[in-house]
Amino acid sequence: MTDTTRATGHFTAADWKEHPVTPADASPRLARATVTNTFTGGIEAAGTDCAYAVVYVPGGTGTFAGIELFSGRLDGRVGAFAVEERGSFGADGTVRCVFEVVAGSGTGELAGLRGTGEFTARHGEERVAYTFAYTLG
């Protein structure tokens, strides 16, 4: 049996570009977003690539789903991997997200990576804490 390791750290959003899919006055409204993040801590990855589909519903809330690609280090091991992300955001600007490693996406020393993580971002925060529980093998 493989032991689960817990990694923690922070990330910052370096770039957010959003493109409407439906008209601005549509309800619900659909958009695409591309994001670049920088992770520090257990995950060390500068300039991740992330693509989201975002649904805005009345009241300033909504949901999103996307894929983020990491290239860098995980607890010192070099490689790349992808995660699938699903989350929601509230009218107060709080974003909650869970993510899971895409099966088979780990490369280099991260081959065989499996894991799940989460973060909660509050409006105005520059650095967002994350947790990531994973196994290798």
Side-chain angles (χ1 to χ4, degrees):
M1 179 174 212
T2 305
D3 291 331
T4 299
T5 301
R6 186 170 182 259
T8 61
H10 292 84
F11 72 90
T12 57
D15 189 29
W16 175 282
K17 292 181 181 156
E18 190 168 307
H19 309 282
V21 175
T22 56
D25 61 350
S27 183
R29 184 169 54 90
L30 180 62
R32 290 174 295 147
T34 55
V35 184
T36 303
N37 294 312
T38 296
F39 281 73
T40 59
I43 300 171
E44 297 175 31
T48 65
D49 293 309
C50 185
Y52 289 120
V54 184
V55 177
Y56 294 92
V57 296
T61 65
T63 63
F64 61 91
I67 302 288
E68 188 160 11
L69 302 177
F70 295 82
S71 181
R73 296 178 183 276
L74 173 59
D75 287 334
R77 294 176 187 89
V78 177
F81 63 99
V83 298
E84 179 181 358
E85 301 178 350
R86 299 184 64 81
S88 63
F89 49 92
D92 66 353
T94 300
V95 176
R96 289 178 175 77
C97 180
V98 295
F99 54 91
E100 182 173 358
V101 173
V102 173
S105 68
T107 65
E109 294 177 303
L110 301 179
L113 178 67
R114 291 183 299 266
T116 60
E118 65 183 355
F119 67 83
T120 299
R122 289 170 184 77
H123 184 69
E125 278 184 327
E126 290 186 21
R127 290 174 17 121
V128 177
Y130 67 84
T131 60
F132 180 51
Y134 69 92
T135 60
L136 279 167

